[in-house]
């Protein structure tokens, strides 16, 4: 009978394994996905962040300037239809970004109640954007941005009226220069237009109301939607809401637009570029928050109003006064004080 060899016996009969009996194999650790992305990234994170912030400024200021140029200088006097084009563009690009590029996970609407909440937000969104675009027909971009900077004032009012949320005395005091600055700027604005002013106030109030109502309606974890998914659902609903209004108020706008587009191809380019940049505003908002923070987005928003005002004055050459610039500066200072006061108030409550 042949004696069975153990594994040790068989291994000992191999001289090559015996010679390397004490050798230790050094196997490198498999790098994680984040490390591999950093190793093979073509752009450094700091350069990428700077590019995203620059894109945010370009899109936010670009859509304002394009709206102003189309509605005031180019003679395209259809702000409701222009807003509807923005909504259709946002719906199309959002679908491509979420379903094809998968920049964020797709979320579905789970109930009829959630759908009607999104519909309510879409109506407020429509009102705000239409009022903002209409105001640009009558007001310079610089004054439009000065009024838009008062959003925190209306947010505080709606938060108190709707949710009974009270802020600290320091927060409310910080709102005084916000309002005072607009009073100064309005009294000294050379191109002041009452209807345009009221439209801009309506747009600013609508923007504040949407933020308060959104926080109130979509509160449960099951109903919360990512900002890009919320835009995907809100944009087509907003376009449907705007359709009867543009047909009733602006007449045969589609036929007029097609006729003008045949006569002047540059107008078609302006409309497509304008609608695309309108979507980029929402996309860059998300990207800035993702790569920096919500606080950084807030700081950039404070600076954006001043940058947009300066750029618009340089491009459109609208007259400005020292008192108007002073009022704008006071408003921006009040917004910064308001942001800092709210940050301190949150720090003390936590």
């Amino acid at each position: 009978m042949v004696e069975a060899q153990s594994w040790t016996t068989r291994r000992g009969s191999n001289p090559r394994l015996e010679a390397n009996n004490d050798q230790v194999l050094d196997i490198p650790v498999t790098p994680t996905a984040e490390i591999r992305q950093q190793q093979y990234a073509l752009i450094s994170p700091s350069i990428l962040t700077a590019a995203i912030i620059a894109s945010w400024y370009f899109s936010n200021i670009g859509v304002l300037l394009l709206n102003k140029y189309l509605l005031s200088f180019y003679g395209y006097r259809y702000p409701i239809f222009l807003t509807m084009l923005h909504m259709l563009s946002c719906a199309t690009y959002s679908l491509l970004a979420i379903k094809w590029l998968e920049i964020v996970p797709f979320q579905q609407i789970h109930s009829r109640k959630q759908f009607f909440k999104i519909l309510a937000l879409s109506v407020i969104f429509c009102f705000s954007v239409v009022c903002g675009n209409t105001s640009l027909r009558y007001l310079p971009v610089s004054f439009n941005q000065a009024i838009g900077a008062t959003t925190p004032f209306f947010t505080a009012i709606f938060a108190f009226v709707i949710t009974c949320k009270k802020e600290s005395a320091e927060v409310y005091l910080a709102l005084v220069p916000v309002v005072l600055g607009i009073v100064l700027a309005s009294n000294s604005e050379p191109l002041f237009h009452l209807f345009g002013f009221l439209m801009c106030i309506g747009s600013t109030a609508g923007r504040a109301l949407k933020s308060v109502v959104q926080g109130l309606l979509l509160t449960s974890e099951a109903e919360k939607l990512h900002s890009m998914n919320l835009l995907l659902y809100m944009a087509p609903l907003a376009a449907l809401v705007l359709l009867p209004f543009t047909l009733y108020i602006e007449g045969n706008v589609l036929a007029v637009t097609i006729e003008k587009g045949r006569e002047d191809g540059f107008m078609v380019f302006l409309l497509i570029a304008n609608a695309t940049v309108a979507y980029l505003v929402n996309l860059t908002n998300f990207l800035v928050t993702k790569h920096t923070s919500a606080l950084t987005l807030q700081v950039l928003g404070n600076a954006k109003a001043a940058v947009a005002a300066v750029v618009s004055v340089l491009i459109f050459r609208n007259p400005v006064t020292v008192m108007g610039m002073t009022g704008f500066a006071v408003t921006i200072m009040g917004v910064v004080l308001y942001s800092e006061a709210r940050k301190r108030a949150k720090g003390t409550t936590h």
Side-chain angles (χ1 to χ4, degrees):
M1 178 180 289
V2 179
E3 184 181 353
Q5 287 183 323
S6 65
W7 165 248
T8 307
T9 308
R10 291 197 303 271
R11 189 182 66 172
S13 64
N14 192 333
R16 286 179 298 177
L17 290 178
E18 270 186 1
N20 299 323
N21 194 26
D22 297 329
Q23 183 178 355
V24 178
L25 296 177
D26 187 13
I27 302 175
V29 179
T30 304
T32 62
E34 292 182 0
I35 294 176
R36 288 199 301 271
Q37 288 176 359
Q38 292 176 2
Q39 289 174 344
Y40 298 108
L42 298 176
I43 304 175
S44 67
S46 57
I47 295 176
L48 179 62
T49 302
I52 289 171
I53 291 175
S55 301
W56 183 88
Y57 270 107
F58 169 79
S59 58
N60 277 268
I61 297 174
V63 74
L64 282 170
L65 299 180
L66 283 171
N67 286 343
K68 178 64 178 176
Y69 181 74
L70 277 166
L71 295 169
S72 293
F73 293 90
Y74 199 77
Y76 190 81
R77 305 184 184 280
Y78 307 106
I80 301 177
F81 184 73
L82 185 65
T83 305
M84 192 177 77
L85 290 181
H86 289 182
M87 297 301 107
L88 292 174
S89 169
C90 287
T92 304
Y93 284 121
S94 294
L95 187 63
L96 291 174
I98 295 175
K99 285 287 195 177
W100 185 44
L101 298 178
E102 298 181 346
I103 61 171
V104 295
F106 174 68
Q107 294 173 287
Q108 291 183 336
I109 297 177
H110 297 291
S111 65
R112 183 179 297 179
K113 182 180 178 182
Q114 186 184 15
F115 169 79
F116 282 111
K117 288 180 179 181
I118 295 172
L119 178 61
L121 289 175
S122 301
V123 173
I124 300 172
F125 187 46
C126 283
F127 174 78
S128 175
V129 179
V130 169
C131 286
N133 287 341
T134 304
S135 70
L136 287 171
R137 279 188 60 185
Y138 305 97
L139 298 178
V141 175
S142 54
F143 188 45
N144 174 281
Q145 288 301 286
I147 299 171
T150 61
T151 302
F153 171 75
F154 291 100
T155 303
I157 291 177
F158 286 128
F160 177 75
V161 172
I162 297 175
T163 66
C164 298
K165 180 183 177 183
K166 294 182 180 180
E167 301 285 357
S168 64
E170 183 185 8
V171 172
Y172 287 125
L173 283 174
L175 292 172
V176 174
V178 173
V179 179
L180 179 62
I182 287 303
V183 172
L184 293 174
S186 302
N187 287 332
S188 58
E189 173 56 47
L191 300 179
F192 181 85
H193 192 284
L194 181 59
F195 180 72
F197 175 77
L198 293 176
M199 285 292 100
C200 198
I201 289 290
S203 173
T204 307
R207 192 160 52 245
L209 179 62
K210 176 183 170 292
S211 66
V212 173
V213 173
Q214 182 174 331
L216 187 66
L217 293 182
L218 304 178
T219 52
S220 67
E221 290 299 323
E223 290 183 338
K224 279 185 179 177
L225 292 173
H226 189 279
S227 60
M228 300 304 292
N229 278 280
L230 184 60
L231 180 67
L232 174 64
Y233 291 117
M234 280 177 51
L237 290 175
L240 289 175
V241 170
L242 290 171
L243 181 60
F245 288 97
T246 187
L247 293 177
Y248 179 75
I249 297 173
E250 296 176 335
N252 196 14
V253 59
L254 182 60
V256 172
T257 302
I258 293 173
E259 184 181 351
K260 285 188 174 183
R262 287 173 178 171
E263 296 173 357
D264 185 5
F266 183 61
M267 192 198 73
V268 178
F269 168 76
L270 284 175
L271 290 176
I272 294 174
N274 183 250
T276 302
V277 175
Y279 170 73
L280 291 179
V281 170
N282 297 278
L283 178 62
T284 53
N285 279 346
F286 158 67
L287 291 176
V288 167
T289 306
K290 179 183 177 182
H291 287 268
T292 57
S293 65
L295 179 61
T296 302
L297 184 63
Q298 189 177 24
V299 173
L300 291 175
N302 295 339
K304 185 264 293 183
V307 175
V310 172
V311 172
S312 69
V313 170
L314 293 175
I315 293 176
F316 299 119
R317 304 290 181 180
N318 57 280
V320 292
T321 62
V322 175
M323 188 61 71
M325 291 188 292
T326 304
F328 192 7
V330 170
T331 296
I332 296 297
M333 181 191 69
V335 172
V336 173
L337 291 175
Y338 170 81
S339 302
E340 292 297 320
R342 284 206 66 191
K343 198 193 312 180
R344 283 193 292 271
K346 286 182 179 180
T348 54
T349 53
H350 291 303

